[in-house]
Amino acid sequence: MTKQSLFPYYAETLRSVRGVEVLDVDGAAMLHFNDVEDNYAQKLKYPCRIDAIIMAVCVRGEVSFSAHMNDYTLKANQFFISSASIFQFHSLADSEFYMLAFNSEFLSNMNVDIRSIVHIVSQLRNNAYIANLNDKSMGGVSRFFDTLLAEHAPKDKSEYMELSLRHLFCAMIYRICDAVLGDDANMPTVGVKERSSEYFEKLMNLLSEHYKEQRNVEFYAEKMHISSKHLSRVIRNFTGKSVHQWIDEFVALEIKNLLKYSNMSIQQISYHLNFPNPSFMGQYFKRITGLTPGEYKKS
């Protein structure tokens, strides 16, 4: 079976950036970012689709990014976990941090006991958790990451090393959950807390599923069994943006992702996303971003 990367378009870019180390197996990946220089960081500034659970631990400095259209800043000795579809770095200079990403198929194939992280996984969609780690937990997690890097260099591609890496990824998930969900852990939530967030979360979930075919408010309101007027009012009051704006931004992020990290032509992207023609997609994209698809691809 061919190994499926979590970020098929993004992986090549990551491996070309000085200061980034990548280890990956089918359905999971670990990344180490260490003092990425600005000129290399520019390669990572574009949104990328990563349909996975993401765990990140900041060792030094701070890193800012967006996950599923929400902005976060992770500081030293902090842990982050979220389910992301569109991920984008904003700033990562003068920092060191680790990321571990894995999808549900990886958990199932490796028989990971999902009960160990059900407290947070069940609420991850469009939400995130950030926890402060004490020095002991931080040291243990960092050493685990360092061991993975030292013992499983990318050149080690034997079957046994691949199996070893997969099981160590599982152990890393358990180790992080122990550090964060242990008796002494204090995990405040970051992001939406009001009841209105339920509508926003449902909207984002539905967008993730139907954005290629459906871009009208009435469709999503009907799926949520409420009127489009009520949905529009709740989302605008809660986020400051209209439902139309969220739909447009979601689609525009996907176009950006495909323009930068796929080999698809502008025409192929327009058909993939069910636009009538490339010209229509170009007008749509320029209205939202101020650039044509060609201009963005060259930027």
Side-chain angles (χ1 to χ4, degrees), residues 22-70:
V22 182
L23 289 177
D24 63 346
V25 295
D26 191 10
M30 192 198 81
L31 312 173
H32 178 219
F33 298 80
N34 189 12
D35 288 331
V36 178
E37 298 175 5
D38 287 339
N39 57 323
Y40 287 98
Q42 290 300 308
K43 295 184 178 182
L44 304 176
K45 69 178 181 179
Y46 303 104
C48 169
R49 176 170 290 281
I50 308 176
D51 290 311
I53 295 172
I54 294 176
M55 294 177 167
V57 176
C58 186
V59 178
R60 170 172 49 81
E62 65 179 49
V63 55
S64 61
F65 52 88
S66 298
H68 209 70
M69 302 177 76
N70 291 313

Side-chain angles (χ1 to χ4, degrees), residues 116-222:
S116 63
I117 50 176
V118 71
H119 302 289
I120 48 181
V121 169
S122 63
Q123 302 181 50
L124 282 176
R125 199 62 164 171
N126 310 311
N127 292 318
Y129 289 95
I130 287 182
N132 296 314
L133 300 181
N134 58 41
D135 291 340
K136 180 180 179 181
S137 294
M138 187 67 195
V141 170
S142 296
R143 284 192 296 273
F144 213 121
F145 275 122
D146 289 338
T147 299
L148 277 172
L149 286 171
E151 299 297 327
H152 293 78
K155 65 178 180 296
D156 296 325
K157 292 297 184 180
S158 72
E159 178 182 355
Y160 293 114
M161 291 301 285
E162 181 85 358
L163 286 170
S164 173
L165 185 56
R166 291 174 66 83
H167 284 280
L168 282 173
F169 274 0
C170 293
M172 185 76 251
I173 293 170
Y174 287 129
R175 182 65 184 84
I176 291 177
C177 288
D178 177 68
V180 177
L181 298 176
D183 294 336
D184 297 328
N186 178 23
M187 181 186 288
T189 60
V190 174
V192 292
K193 294 182 180 180
E194 303 173 19
R195 180 171 175 78
S196 300
S197 69
E198 295 179 11
Y199 288 105
F200 181 67
E201 180 177 343
K202 288 179 181 178
L203 176 62
M204 291 296 105
N205 287 343
L206 288 168
L207 268 175
S208 298
E209 185 176 353
H210 299 289
Y211 71 94
K212 292 181 182 179
E213 299 86 18
Q214 298 292 340
R215 291 166 194 148
N216 62 81
V217 178
E218 289 74 19
F219 171 84
Y220 294 100
E222 184 177 340

